[in-house]
C-alpha cells in the first residue's frame, strides 16, 4: 500500500494524506540523474508514464517463470500464461466497470483500438453520404482512421469546434448531430490542452440522435475514474503505457451486442473456430478480435499497473494532480511572455504553453539541459495547433509521482530560457 488508507471506495482507497515521496520510491527511474548529474524532472507523462517496480517485477516474473503462448497448449506453462492473461482481462473489466470480459479486447494501444472500430464497425455501418463526427481537439489517432473510412465510403467527416479556452462548443455539437451521423468519436481529455470533455452529456446527446459513440480514453484513464456502464459509451479505447503500464498493450472496450455484430478486424490464429479453404468460422468474443499471438507480457503488466493505480486510489491521484495543475499554472503565469493554451474549467494535469520570442523546440532543449523532460511540438494534434495559430507548444504533463518542487524546477528552468533568449 502506497498511501495511508482511511476509506475504501470501489476504485481504490481515499487517503487522508497523499504521500508522494513514498509513491516516488515505487518508481526506480525517478531516482536516476540525467545530463551530467541533474536529477530527473519527468514532466512528459502525457506521452508516456514511468513504471512502478511492481509492474516491472511482474513482467520479469512472467518471462522468468511463466512464459508460454496462450490459448494454445495443454502443457503446464501454457495453462499458467493463459490464466494470467485472462485474469488480466478480469482486472481491466473491473477497472472500467464493464459488464463482461467479452467486452474487453486487448490491442496494441489506443491507436489500434480506434483503427479496429473504424475498420470493422465503420466499414460495416458507414455508407456514402453518412457522417462521422469528431472534434477540433482530437489526437491524430482519432482523426486519421475516420478520414480513411470516410474516403473509402464517400462519407463526410464533421468537426465540432472549440472556443478560445479549448472547450468544445456544445451548442455546435448539438447542431452537427444529424440524421446521418453514424458515429461520434471524441477524446475524454485532450493531450494537447488538457481539456476534460463533458462526455456523459455528449454521449447522451449522441445517443438521443441515434449515433454510436467512441471515446478516446488515452488521457482519461490515467486521471479519471472511468465507468463505462455509467457513461454508457459504446466503445472506449486506452493505452497501458499512459497509465503506468508497458508500451504495446492497450484496450478496446465495446458493448457486447456491437462486438457480436462486427466482422473481425484481422485474420489469423486464435480468432477462428475452424478454417477450411471454403469457409472459416470465427471464435467467440473477445477472441474474434485478437488475431495472432498477443502481447502477453504487456497485458499482464498492464493489469499489474492498474492494480497499482487502484492501490493508490484514483480519487487521490486526481486530487494530487489537480493540486499540481493549480500550483504550476499559477507559478507559470509569473513568467513574462508565457502564454498558456487550454484554460478550460475542467482540465487534466496538462499545461501547454509558448514563450514569446522563443521557439518551443528551444524551450525543450534548454529545459532538457536542466534535467527537465517536457514535450515540444504539435503533440499529434496539428489541426488544433492551426486553430490556435501556433506551429507548436511546450507541454508539461504531470503524473501521480510529480511534486510541487518539480513544478518549481520547471519555472526556474523557464526563467533560464528567458535569460538565454532575451
Ligand atoms: N499521445 C502524447 O504525447 P498510442 O500512441 O496509441 O498509445 O496513443 C495515441 C493517442 C491517442 N489519443 C490521445 C488523446 C493521445 O494522447 C494519444 C497519445 C501522446 O500526447 C503521444 S503522441
Amino acid at each position: 500500500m502506497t498511501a495511508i488508507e482511511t476509506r475504501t471506495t470501489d476504485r481504490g482507497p481515499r487517503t487522508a494524506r497523499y504521500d508522494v515521496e513514498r509513491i516516488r520510491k515505487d518508481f526506480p527511474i525517478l531516482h536516476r540523474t540525467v545530463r551530467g548529474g541533474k536529477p530527473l524532472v519527468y514532466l512528459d507523462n502525457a506521452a508516456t508514464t514511468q513504471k512502478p517496480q511492481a509492474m516491472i517485477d511482474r513482467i520479469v516474473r512472467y518471462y522468468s517463470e511463466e512464459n508460454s503462448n496462450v490459448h494454445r497448449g495443454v502443457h503446464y506453462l501454457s495453462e499458467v500464461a493463459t490464466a494470467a492473461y485472462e485474469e488480466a482481462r478480469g482486472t481491466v473489466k473491473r477497472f472500467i466497470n464493464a459488464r463482461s470480459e467479452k467486452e474487453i479486447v486487448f490491442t496494441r494501444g489506443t491507436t489500434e483500438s480506434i483503427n479496429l472500430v473504424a475498420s470493422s464497425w465503420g466499414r460495416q455501418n458507414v455508407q456514402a453520404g453518412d457522417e462521422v463526427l469528431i472534434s477540433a481537439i482530437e489526437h491524430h489517432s482519432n482523426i486519421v482512421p475516420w478520414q480513411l473510412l470516410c474516403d473509402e465510403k464517400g462519407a463526410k467527416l464533421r468537426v465540432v469546434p472549440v472556443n478560445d479556452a479549448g472547450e468544445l462548443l456544445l451548442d455546435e455539437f448539438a447542431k452537427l448531430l444529424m440524421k446521418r451521423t453514424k458515429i461520434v468519436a471524441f477524446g475524454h481529455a485532450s493531450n494537447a490542452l488538457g481539456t476534460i470533455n463533458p462526455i456523459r452529456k455528449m454521449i447522451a446527446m449522441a445517443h438521443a440522435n441515434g449515433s454510436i459513440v467512441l471515446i478516446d480514453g488515452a488521457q482519461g484513464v490515467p486521471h479519471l475514474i472511468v465507468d463505462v456502464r455509467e457513461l454508457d459509451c459504446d466503445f472506449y479505447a486506452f493505452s497501458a503505457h499512459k497509465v503506468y503500464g508497458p508500451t504495446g498493450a492497450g484496450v478496446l472496450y465495446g458493448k457486447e451486442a456491437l462486438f457480436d455484430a462486427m466482422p473481425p478486424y484481422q485474420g489469423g490464429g486464435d480468432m477462428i473456430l475452424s478454417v477450411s479453404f471454403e469457409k472459416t468460422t470465427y471464435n467467440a468474443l473477445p477472441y474474434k478480435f485478437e488475431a495472432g499471438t498477443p502481447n502477453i507480457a504487456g497485458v499482464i503488466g498492464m493489469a499489474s499497473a492498474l492494480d497499482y493505480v487502484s492501490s493508490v486510489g484514483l480519487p487521490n491521484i486526481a486530487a494530487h494532480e489537480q493540486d499540481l495543475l493549480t500550483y504550476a499554472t499559477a507559478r507559470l503565469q509569473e513568467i513574462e511572455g508565457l502564454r498558456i493554451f487550454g484554460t478550460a474549467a475542467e482540465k487534466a494535469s496538462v499545461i501547454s504553453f509558448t514563450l514569446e520570442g522563443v521557439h518551443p523546440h528551444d524551450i525543450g532543449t534548454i529545459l532538457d539541459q536542466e534535467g527537465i523532460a517536457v514535450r515540444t511540438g504539435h503533440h499529434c494534434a496539428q489541426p488544433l495547433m492551426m486553430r490556435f495559430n501556433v506551429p507548436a507548444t511546450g507541454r508539461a504533463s504531470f503524473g501521480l509521482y510529480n511534486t510541487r518542487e518539480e513544478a518549481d524546477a520547471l519555472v526556474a528552468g523557464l526563467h533560464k530560457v528567458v535569460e538565454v533568449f532575451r
Side-chain angles (χ1 to χ4, degrees):
M1 181 60 58
T2 44
I4 306 155
E5 188 170 337
T6 54
R7 186 164 83 81
T8 299
T9 68
D10 59 349
R11 245 16 96 67
R14 263 195 199 287
T15 57
R17 184 170 66 87
Y18 191 85
D19 190 349
V20 71
E21 288 310 324
R22 172 74 195 81
I23 285 169
R24 289 178 71 79
K25 290 200 174 97
D26 295 335
F27 291 80
I29 207 169
L30 298 181
H31 307 293
R32 66 159 295 173
T33 55
V34 294
R35 298 286 180 217
K38 302 265 166 47
L40 172 68
V41 176
Y42 187 77
L43 300 179
D44 195 16
N45 294 284
T48 198
T49 52
Q50 299 303 344
K51 317 304 174 197
Q53 189 65 53
M55 194 291 281
I56 299 168
D57 289 346
R58 183 63 192 93
I59 290 179
V60 170
R61 179 153 67 88
Y62 169 73
Y63 278 125
S64 313
E65 298 176 22
E66 302 170 353
N67 177 51
S68 191
N69 212 327
V70 290
H71 308 138
R72 284 161 171 84
V74 291
H75 59 79
Y76 178 76
L77 283 185
S78 182
E79 262 177 34
V80 172
T82 302
Y85 183 78
E86 291 305 329
E87 270 167 34
R89 209 185 296 277
T91 302
V92 173
K93 182 199 107 171
R94 286 187 296 280
F95 195 82
I96 60 170
N97 198 28
R99 274 181 198 82
S100 144
E101 274 89 354
K102 292 181 191 165
E103 298 180 321
I104 306 297
V105 168
F106 291 130
T107 63
R108 284 194 298 123
T110 310
T111 303
E112 188 175 48
S113 296
I114 297 172
N115 276 280
L116 192 163
V117 177
S119 290
S120 169
W121 187 91
R123 284 208 179 114
Q124 190 179 51
N125 291 284
V126 174
Q127 311 302 337
D130 285 342
E131 300 196 354
V132 172
L133 183 56
I134 60 171
S135 92
I137 55 175
E138 299 313 315
H139 185 278
H140 297 164
S141 294
N142 202 26
I143 300 174
V144 185
W146 303 114
Q147 276 175 330
L148 291 168
L149 174 69
C150 288
D151 284 352
E152 183 183 315
K153 293 292 190 168
K156 283 198 200 90
L157 189 69
R158 301 277 193 192
V159 183
V160 183
V162 284
N163 63 19
D164 290 341
E167 294 164 319
L168 295 187
L169 296 171
L170 285 191
D171 47 346
E172 295 297 321
F173 177 57
K175 282 186 215 152
L176 285 162
L177 284 168
M178 305 284 184
K179 204 166 155 233
R180 299 204 69 171
T181 309
K182 284 289 157 79
I183 188 161
V184 177
F186 50 88
H188 199 161
S190 155
N191 67 317
L193 300 181
T195 311
I196 297 174
N197 288 320
I199 65 168
R200 196 166 299 138
K201 193 168 177 183
M202 292 174 74
I203 292 165
M205 287 164 75
H207 281 169
N209 187 58
S211 313
I212 291 293
V213 183
L214 175 139
I215 305 292
D216 170 352
Q219 304 292 346
V221 165
H223 310 291
L224 303 159
I225 289 178
V226 174
D227 182 330
V228 290
R229 273 196 260 182
E230 194 200 343
L231 289 172
D232 195 30
C233 53
D234 299 295
F235 299 105
Y236 193 101
F238 68 95
S239 303
H241 72 100
K242 293 195 199 286
V243 60
Y244 310 100
T247 51
V251 172
L252 175 65
Y253 158 82
K255 284 182 181 163
E256 188 178 340
L258 288 169
F259 270 167
D260 242 343
M262 283 159 57
Y265 168 52
Q266 293 178 326
D270 223 22
M271 52 74 72
I272 54 89
L273 275 184
S274 69
V275 178
S276 71
F277 289 120
E278 289 71 38
K279 186 169 170 54
T280 291
T281 56
Y282 305 126
N283 205 343
L285 291 177
Y287 312 109
K288 181 171 85 173
F289 294 111
E290 291 180 9
T293 301
N295 182 355
I296 305 165
V299 162
I300 292 170
M302 166 162 60
S304 168
L306 296 181
D307 282 342
Y308 179 85
V309 166
S310 297
S311 78
V312 179
L314 262 169
N316 303 319
I317 295 169
H320 176 70
E321 291 176 346
Q322 284 299 310
D323 173 70
L324 290 174
L325 176 67
T326 309
Y327 179 78
T329 302
R331 290 244 37 219
L332 286 170
Q333 279 163 344
E334 293 167 10
I335 300 168
E336 212 193 305
L338 187 138
R339 178 176 166 204
I340 291 178
F341 292 81
T343 50
E346 298 279 324
K347 267 187 78 170
S349 48
V350 170
I351 307 178
S352 244
F353 58 90
T354 54
L355 255 184
E356 207 183 325
V358 190
H359 192 279
H361 286 294
D362 293 327
I363 300 177
T365 306
I366 294 173
L367 289 177
D368 175 55
Q369 292 307 315
E370 300 300 312
I372 303 166
V374 297
R375 183 170 173 189
T376 57
H378 54 60
H379 315 296
C380 302
Q382 281 183 338
L384 182 64
M385 297 291 119
M386 282 179 224
R387 159 67 179 79
F388 284 93
N389 272 324
V390 283
T393 68
R395 182 190 69 183
S397 51
F398 298 85
L400 58 80
Y401 38 61
N402 288 123
T403 62
R404 283 187 173 208
E405 289 71 29
E406 289 180 308
D408 291 337
L410 172 66
V411 172
L414 288 169
H415 279 300
K416 279 213 167 133
V417 176
V418 173
E419 266 167 44
V420 171
F421 280 89
R422 290 202 193 133

